[in-house]
Amino acid sequence: MTNTDWIGFIGVFQILLAYFLNVTGKVTHKDLSFILLNTIGAGMACLASILIHYVPFIILEGAWTLVSLISLLKFLSGSKHYQ
């Protein structure tokens, strides 16, 4: 496997781990661990997609990263809209 494969694999693993932890009740969508797993995972998957020039997943993972980043910023600011 190439470095790009590893970046993508680790990123997708983090997204799937966040989802698994959420559906098994270990974390909620408001937990920092869930938000970080999604933000970092989507960012890594997006980077891997950029490196292989695969536009559909650049769009998907880029959007996922932005949404997760907004969630992270709301969490860090203690926004009442987030709670």
Side-chain angles (χ1 to χ4, degrees):
M1 284 191 7
T2 67
N3 288 339
T4 302
D5 292 329
W6 279 108
I7 293 168
F9 175 78
I10 293 167
V12 169
F13 176 78
Q14 289 180 81
I15 295 168
L16 292 174
L17 178 61
Y19 179 73
F20 175 79
L21 292 173
N22 182 254
V23 298
T24 59
K26 305 293 184 196
V27 298
T28 71
H29 69 281
K30 294 183 178 185
D31 290 336
L32 181 59
S33 58
F34 179 83
I35 297 166
L36 287 174
L37 282 169
N38 271 293
T39 305
I40 296 167
M44 290 178 73
C46 185
L47 174 60
S49 299
I50 290 167
L51 294 173
I52 64 170
H53 309 288
Y54 193 62
V55 176
F57 276 88
I58 294 170
I59 294 167
L60 174 67
E61 298 302 341
W64 196 303
T65 304
L66 288 174
V67 169
S68 298
L69 186 57
I70 291 167
S71 183
L72 178 61
L73 293 173
K74 286 182 180 179
F75 179 90
L76 294 175
S77 72
S79 173
K80 292 180 183 177
H81 297 291
Y82 187 74
Q83 301 169 6

